[in-house]
Amino acid sequence: MQGDFSSSAPATPAVTATGTGGAAAISATSDAAMAVEVTNNRSTALLGATTNGVGVVGNCLGTGIGVLARSQQGMAVNATSDSGIAVLAQSSSAAAVQGTCLGGDFGVVGIAPNAGVAAFNPNNDHAAYLASDCCAAWFTGPVNIAGNLFKSSGGFRIDHPLAPAEKFLTHSFVESSEMKNVYDGVVTTEADGTASVELPDWFEALNREFRYQLTPIGAPAPELHIAAEIEHRRFRIAGAPAGLKVAWQVTGVRADAWAGAHRVEVEQAKSRAEHGRYLHPELFGAGPEQTLRPGG
């Protein structure tokens, strides 16, 4: 099913289908190829709308793709449903949905009160695979991840505070081979050269293996030290002149239930299928065909 409009062709749909009485307008099933393939160079490739059901359904039982839509100047897939599912695509061994946009729009757009796009894969670790030369995914708003997040690098990028209209400011994350938390502050010593630092009531439930750093501010304090380690959410410092400001830093390794069940495996061997493939092959003199992708 294809609609490729040339400049002289009338702007009418190549295929129009209407379902009545609860029946599907178009039902497509394939054992080994594309269940639905649509191409349009100037407008929306595939439009599906329903008031109570599924806007677009594509099932592929073999090694093909459930729904494949291409558009150069519009949306690849535009599906709406008032009370059901906008797009339902299933595939036994390939991509359920493949959206490619060659112009300035989006490959896949999902809008819903609960989840705009929901992806599930019971067979391996990859529910969704997103790739782009620019941004594989763009999130506006909070992002919740119920699991581990692995990345090649990370940080924040904001409008530059000194030139917000002309520049960005970027910082990198602080990385560690441990599931580490970092806390710091400034305290002023008492008349006897000691000070007590009080931590949140959840501190010892969340952390273990504490490590300390102390820095005197404004004057040397060669005797500055940790007088009492963390106990009952407090630690004490001593050995400083009276009234001295001291910057402190404490790190802890996560000890909560999730961290205990999902410790970071620092070194991992690649599987046999992954041998000779790289997350970033260009950094090792390898070609793009050696890019590591889902499933090896």
Side-chain angles (χ1 to χ4, degrees):
M1 184 197 327
Q2 295 192 0
D4 188 355
F5 299 158
S6 66
S7 59
S8 60
T12 58
V15 176
T16 301
T18 303
T20 60
I26 296 176
S27 178
T29 302
S30 173
D31 289 339
M34 312 299 177
V36 177
E37 181 177 359
V38 184
T39 301
N40 192 322
N41 292 334
R42 300 182 61 190
S43 184
T44 301
L46 179 61
L47 173 63
T50 180
T51 58
N52 185 18
V54 182
V56 175
V57 178
N59 293 315
C60 183
L61 307 180
T63 59
I65 296 176
V67 176
L68 174 61
R70 301 184 182 93
S71 176
Q72 291 186 350
Q73 296 185 20
M75 287 182 285
V77 176
N78 183 1
T80 60
S81 175
D82 290 342
S83 61
I85 300 173
V87 177
L88 173 61
Q90 299 173 332
S91 177
S92 299
S93 60
V97 175
Q98 178 174 325
T100 302
C101 183
L102 305 179
D105 273 317
F106 304 95
V108 175
V109 175
I111 301 174
N114 186 11
V117 176
F120 305 93
N121 189 336
N123 298 321
N124 58 41
D125 294 334
H126 306 286
Y129 177 68
L130 307 175
S132 171
D133 291 337
C134 173
C135 305
W138 181 286
F139 300 99
T140 300
V143 177
N144 295 322
I145 299 175
N148 292 325
L149 172 65
F150 295 102
K151 55 189 177 53
S152 298
S153 65
F156 73 76
R157 184 174 69 171
I158 62 173
D159 295 319
H160 198 294
L162 298 181
E166 294 84 24
K167 295 181 180 180
F168 292 113
L169 183 66
T170 302
H171 278 27
S172 176
F173 289 154
V174 176
E175 310 287 357
S176 171
S177 60
E178 298 176 298
M179 302 174 78
K180 185 174 291 187
N181 295 316
V182 181
Y183 309 86
D184 58 16
V186 177
V187 68
T188 301
T189 59
E190 301 171 3
D192 60 355
T194 68
S196 178
V197 176
E198 185 172 336
L199 301 165
D201 55 3
W202 42 259
F203 190 88
E204 289 168 278
L206 178 62
N207 297 282
R208 69 184 189 192
E209 300 179 30
F210 307 119
R211 296 148 199 180
Y212 310 83
Q213 291 189 47
L214 301 174
T215 304
I217 300 175
E223 302 299 323
L224 182 64
H225 63 281
I226 300 293
E229 293 197 64
I230 295 172
E231 187 174 4
H232 304 303
R233 66 190 183 91
R234 289 182 176 84
F235 70 92
R236 288 189 62 81
I237 64 176
L244 184 69
K245 291 173 65 175
V246 177
W248 59 268
Q249 182 184 95
V250 174
T251 65
V253 177
R254 281 181 56 180
D256 58 281
W258 169 264
H262 301 87
R263 287 294 167 197
V264 175
E265 186 178 353
V266 179
E267 293 183 286
Q268 301 176 3
K270 292 182 178 180
S271 68
R272 183 179 297 275
E274 295 170 331
H275 280 191
R277 296 183 178 271
Y278 308 87
L279 295 171
H280 303 283
E282 69 280 1
L283 302 179
F284 302 95
E289 72 281 358
Q290 292 177 261
T291 300
L292 185 61
R293 303 192 186 280

